[in-house]
Amino acid sequence: MRAWAEGDPPSDYAVVWKPSQRFLDSQPALRAMFNAGAGVDALACLRLPKNVPVIRLEDAGMAEQMCEYVLHAVLHHYREFDIYAAQEAKRLWAPRPPRRKADYPVGILGYGVLGQAVAKSPISVGFQVVAWARTPRADAPIRVYSGDDSRVEFLQAVRILVCLLPLTPSTRHVLNATAFEALRRGGYLINVARGAHLDRDALLAALDSGQLAGATLDVFDQEPIPAADPIWKDTRIRVTPHISAATLRHEAVEQIVGKLRALERGEAVTGVVATDRGY
Ligand SMILES: NC(=O)c1ccc[n+]([C@@H]2O[C@H](COP(=O)([O-])OP(=O)(O)OC[C@H]3O[C@@H](n4cnc5c(N)ncnc54)[C@H](OP(=O)(O)O)[C@@H]3O)[C@@H](O)[C@H]2O)c1
């Protein structure tokens, strides 16, 4: 195994993260390509080698991190910790009336490897959780709405919305004015998928109108966010630098090596990306 350098002989397998077209064009003998992350949207604009399976990471230690991040964001909003932090800064002792979890149903856009794991943590502390996927899930332990026809019905059932979709042509700007309008008033957005899922102007308009109470954003169109971006100072939006679920070296290598060995034995592996649907 080696780090690729221009002029190297062709490899049998490649591990990539946002590879260059130059690298892909230099690989006529690949048997498979492993993507060192869960999302493969960075590959969409590239000419991929024909008939070479692209295999993405499945969980590999990301699900636990995502659960921590999302549960923290849900509880931070629900228990009004932002308001208590502001009160603390003013030395103000002012308990607020308790909220009811029944008034804060959580909805997860995307019920894949990460969405299914993340759904469990709010349930464990008493929230109602529903999800939305492309295909029906009759066997799921929670209600899963499926397909574009049921998206509005799903959103109407939700106050705290978590985005865990892959970025594809059909999910770009899925977090838009129509979606925010459908949520229960005073909704809350947690975007841990990709920046391009969000129509930022629609978010700001929904915050201004009170339709949304706030947002926690981990992903952005432009990363890092420029220092002059007003989002840094918007107290309604909590910003983190794309850290909700990092690729963990040990777990990722273990998963890739396991799948590589299976392929060498002629066995099928999971996590093969359907490049036509984009995830
Ligand atoms: N911020 C971070 O640090 C970070 C880290 C890791 C991953 N991510 C993001 O999380 C995403 C999800 O990862 P994953 O491993 O859970 O992916 P996954 O297992 O492929 O799950 C994707 C889910 O989205 C659903 N979906 C896809 N297109 C849809 C559409 N048009 N309408 C409705 N549902 C749709 C799928 O429906 P079906 O079940 O019907 O196929 C599936 O439930 C990644 O693509 C990546 O963008 C972010």
Side-chain angles (χ1 to χ4, degrees):
M1 183 165 183
R2 59 173 183 272
W4 178 74
E6 194 89 42
D8 276 351
S11 301
D12 299 325
Y13 295 96
V15 179
V16 300
W17 182 246
K18 300 184 178 172
S20 65
Q21 188 63 54
R22 213 178 168 82
F23 166 74
L24 295 174
D25 291 345
S26 74
Q27 299 297 323
L30 284 184
R31 290 189 227 162
M33 201 160 82
F34 294 94
N35 186 59
V40 292
D41 44 290
L43 301 176
C45 57
L46 295 167
R47 203 170 47 254
L48 299 177
K50 283 209 173 62
N51 303 321
V52 175
V54 176
I55 301 160
R56 69 187 191 91
L57 286 184
E58 299 172 286
D59 181 354
M62 282 183 275
E64 188 176 320
Q65 298 174 71
M66 247 345 156
C67 290
E68 294 162 358
Y69 185 101
V70 171
L71 184 59
H72 177 269
V74 167
L75 290 175
H76 198 278
H77 171 62
Y78 173 70
R79 294 298 305 267
E80 304 185 276
F81 286 122
D82 274 340
I83 293 175
Y84 288 116
Q87 290 185 177
E88 184 187 356
K90 289 190 237 158
R91 304 180 186 198
L92 180 63
W93 183 279
R96 296 174 60 78
R99 290 174 158 182
R100 283 166 13 106
K101 292 206 177 94
D103 295 331
Y104 290 83
V106 177
I108 302 183
L109 286 163
Y111 195 61
V113 172
L114 298 180
Q116 286 174 49
V118 162
K120 290 180 191 152
S121 48
I123 291 174
S124 73
V125 291
F127 288 92
Q128 294 164 10
V129 179
V130 291
W132 183 66
R134 204 174 48 86
T135 50
R137 294 294 177 84
D139 55 342
I142 60 169
R143 174 147 190 207
V144 180
Y145 298 76
S146 62
D148 286 335
D149 292 347
S150 71
R151 183 164 34 180
V152 169
E153 195 191 344
F154 158 79
L155 292 163
Q156 285 169 342
V158 167
R159 179 161 277 142
I160 300 179
L161 182 64
V162 180
C163 182
L164 263 169
L165 287 166
L167 180 62
T168 68
S170 27
T171 64
R172 186 172 293 270
H173 278 197
V174 69
L175 304 170
N176 56 26
T178 317
F180 299 144
E181 205 45 52
L183 290 178
R184 294 202 190 176
R185 190 157 176 84
Y188 194 82
L189 171 68
I190 301 168
N191 187 17
V192 281
R194 288 291 182 262
H197 284 124
L198 174 65
D199 175 345
R200 213 170 115 167
D201 292 341
L203 170 67
L204 294 175
L207 289 168
D208 288 346
S209 74
Q211 176 59 18
L212 285 189
T216 291
L217 306 179
D218 183 49
V219 286
F220 302 87
D221 274 330
Q222 190 186 347
E223 295 178 359
I225 310 172
D229 192 321
I231 204 165
W232 287 114
K233 285 194 165 172
D234 194 323
T235 52
R236 304 165 300 181
I237 302 174
R238 293 167 63 82
V239 167
T240 53
H242 202 143
I243 46 74
S244 52
T247 293
L248 302 178
R249 181 181 292 245
H250 179 82
E251 287 80 347
V253 169
E254 199 168 52
Q255 185 172 106
I256 289 169
V257 168
K259 289 185 180 183
L260 200 152
R261 288 198 170 119
L263 291 174
E264 285 290 302
R265 292 192 298 267
E267 296 166 9
V269 296
T270 58
V272 178
V273 175
T275 36
D276 53 335
R277 65 174 194 194
Y279 73 100

